[in-house]
Amino acid sequence: MQTNPFDDDKLHEECGIFGIFGTSDAAANTVLGLHALQHRGQEAAGIVAYNEGRFNSHRALGHVAPNFSSEKVIRELPGDSAIGHVRYSTSGGTLLRNVQPIYADLELGGIALAHNGNLTNARHIRDELVAKGSIFQSTMDTEVITHLVALSRKTTVVDRVVDALKQVEGAYALVALTPKKLIGVRDPWGVRPLVLGNLKGAPILASETCALDIMGADFVRDVEPGELIVIDAEGIHSHHPFPPVQRRFCIFEYIYFARPDSQVEGLSVYESRKRIGAELARLNPVDADVVIPVPDSGVPAAIGYAAESKIPFELGIIRNHYVGRTFIEPTDQIRHLGVKLKHNANRAYIEGKRVILVDDSIVRGTTSTKIVEMVRDAGAKEVHMRIASPPTTHSCFYGVDTPERGKLLAATHTIEEMTKFIKADSLAFLDMAGLYRAMGKPARDPLKPAFCDACFSGDYPIGLTDEVNRGTRGPRQLTLLAETA
Ligand code: AMP
């Protein structure tokens, strides 16, 4: 879900979604699910529950815990089906009207919708609809879906949803709630995750398996790319309404975004990160005394690196968990401060040592620069930075928060320049071949890559209409669009 499609200062969204059907504690379980998905979005949270002809909702800015812990809130969300959403964004659009789930009263009844991902032609559709007189309530890309559902002339809600989704382009995992149905759907490429679970007979849809674990629900299976699941009193029905395309799950979910205790598309995120770390050690060895992760995201990769290199692993940097993610900070100045607030050197394990620092990625370079400085200040003899992903050279338009290209350190600097920038003794990244090996996949086939790795390759599998219209995409992307059309 991306807000403010009119804002040229690109906005960045990641989100978590949850839905449950057929249990008296639907809202309470949704709160639990959203707690587990909090890492996917900390800016806002919302729940819509359906009860006896009425949809009730509670939406709030901020974390799940302070907004959804009171009994009163749960009591006001009665019913045996509910959906929820956690949202993350970095600038603008931080308004209650932009908090999901979105709700709309339509010809065939009410529908609530929660979206993870980002639509790449939302602005285009919105402009067309506004020109014809549509009135939008929010600045979210997701709202175009409700408008398209409203305008569809198909005879059932499910067919109208399909009709709407056939007109949008981009990445989406969606859950929708109607009076009689819970619907879950992934875009044909399956860029964002969605799993099906079961809590004592009540079906669940959630972004990640950790949202099932928290309530003791069973994992049933991943929702397939392009699959639309309809859950109603009769059971679970699977549909495949879109023409099949090459599956392109977001590889960055494994590298950074998903929680390490989640199973995503059949793979453990934690195991994948450890294997990535081991590949990184094989590809970029260096003589050193200690391997130290940049917590938390660098920890599993550092464990893999240490095991492979046989260099001791230590928690040489301690993270303060009560400060939000660095990326949340809205200005560069505060972002710098955030990094200092967040991490502290564990001096005894650093002083006089040759240190290998492992982090999952370098985006703007802020974190690496600060951490290298902190480790040097703590007395490290040498600081070698190892990054558990290829250089992030391209923005994500499919729902991961990356800034515009000009702000990506790797888009504008060579590795040598980046090493100087972060003031490390050495800097090395995993390469694409190592990344695919770590994921247990054959070598990357440029014509049919197994993942969406656009942030590393610039190979965008799904059309970027709004970017092209904005003139920010060059001829290469236009060619790619033509290829995927
Ligand atoms: P930067 O400081 O701008 O180089 O960002 C890199 C740091 O941010 C790394 O420590 C990552 O763990 C973290 N990171 C990378 N990608 C994201 C993202 N999409 N959202 C939030 N944090 C991220």
Side-chain angles (χ1 to χ4, degrees), residues 307-342:
E308 178 65 25
S309 63
K310 309 218 164 36
I311 299 172
F313 170 94
E314 294 291 356
L315 294 178
I317 299 165
I318 303 301
R319 175 168 165 195
N320 177 348
H321 283 102
Y322 306 98
V323 185
R325 282 184 172 195
T326 330
F327 257 60
I328 285 177
E329 313 301 352
T331 66
D332 275 346
Q333 201 189 353
I334 298 183
R335 198 174 291 117
H336 280 264
L337 181 68
V339 175
K340 269 194 203 147
L341 281 170
K342 211 166 98 169

Side-chain angles (χ1 to χ4, degrees), residues 164-483:
L165 293 177
K166 283 185 172 166
Q167 298 169 66
V168 301
E169 153 194 292
Y172 54 83
L174 287 176
V175 289
L177 189 66
T178 74
K180 293 203 172 131
K181 297 179 198 308
L182 170 65
I183 301 168
V185 55
R186 284 176 82 192
D187 69 68
W189 292 264
V191 175
R192 306 259 73 91
L194 190 64
V195 298
L196 179 65
N198 185 297
L199 178 69
K200 299 190 184 94
I204 293 176
L205 293 163
S207 294
E208 294 183 35
T209 56
C210 62
L212 305 177
D213 297 341
I214 193 171
M215 63 193 73
D218 295 323
F219 169 65
V220 177
R221 64 177 177 85
D222 287 285
V223 176
E224 288 296 309
E227 184 183 16
L228 180 131
I229 288 188
V230 180
I231 298 163
D232 58 20
E234 274 82 57
I236 300 175
H237 321 273
S238 164
H239 305 267
H240 288 87
F242 311 109
V245 292
Q246 165 72 27
R247 160 194 294 255
R248 298 288 288 273
F249 183 68
C250 166
I251 204 159
F252 201 65
E253 290 271 353
Y254 290 108
I255 292 168
Y256 171 80
F257 202 43
R259 232 170 76 160
D261 53 339
S262 285
Q263 290 277 129
V264 181
E265 298 256 294
L267 292 174
S268 145
V269 173
Y270 181 72
E271 274 301 320
S272 306
R273 287 184 192 163
K274 283 208 305 184
R275 283 199 308 271
I276 285 173
E279 284 290 345
L280 183 61
R282 279 193 282 276
L283 190 69
N284 297 297
V286 55
D287 231 0
D289 305 308
V290 62
V291 175
I292 292 177
V294 178
D296 291 326
S297 49
V299 173
I303 292 174
Y305 193 106
E308 178 65 25
S309 63
K310 309 218 164 36
I311 299 172
F313 170 94
E314 294 291 356
L315 294 178
I317 299 165
I318 303 301
R319 175 168 165 195
N320 177 348
H321 283 102
Y322 306 98
V323 185
R325 282 184 172 195
T326 330
F327 257 60
I328 285 177
E329 313 301 352
T331 66
D332 275 346
Q333 201 189 353
I334 298 183
R335 198 174 291 117
H336 280 264
L337 181 68
V339 175
K340 269 194 203 147
L341 281 170
K342 211 166 98 169
H343 296 116
N344 191 28
N346 193 358
R347 203 177 178 99
Y349 293 89
I350 292 176
E351 202 159 8
K353 301 234 160 69
R354 296 167 302 164
V355 173
I356 298 174
L357 286 174
V358 179
D359 202 0
D360 63 282
S361 58
I362 290 183
V363 182
R364 297 177 181 85
T366 316
T367 308
S368 301
T369 308
K370 287 285 152 193
I371 296 281
V372 169
E373 187 186 2
M374 180 185 295
V375 169
R376 283 206 197 282
D377 287 349
K381 242 182 8 199
E382 291 171 20
V383 185
H384 301 279
M385 192 75 181
R386 294 294 177 268
I387 302 296
S389 62
T392 304
T393 48
H394 290 75
S395 303
C396 176
F397 300 103
Y398 305 135
V400 166
D401 170 29
T402 41
E404 73 220 37
R405 230 187 138 196
K407 289 191 180 152
L408 298 173
L409 194 66
T412 48
H413 294 65
T414 63
I415 294 192
E416 210 179 303
E417 287 163 351
M418 291 173 85
T419 314
K420 282 201 188 115
F421 184 93
I422 67 166
K423 300 195 177 73
D425 293 291
S426 76
L427 165 68
F429 291 81
L430 185 61
D431 62 9
M432 199 73 104
L435 180 57
Y436 271 65
R437 258 196 318 276
M439 299 310 305
K441 298 285 180 208
R444 184 182 192 276
D445 176 349
L447 295 176
K448 270 175 114 193
F451 294 102
C452 176
D453 50 24
C455 49
F456 309 127
S457 64
D459 174 0
Y460 293 98
I462 310 173
L464 299 172
T465 298
D466 289 343
E467 292 303 313
V468 171
N469 290 347
R470 241 187 273 216
T472 54
R473 298 279 92 206
R476 175 172 148 69
Q477 280 73 28
L478 284 169
T479 317
L480 280 168
L481 287 181
E483 281 165 15

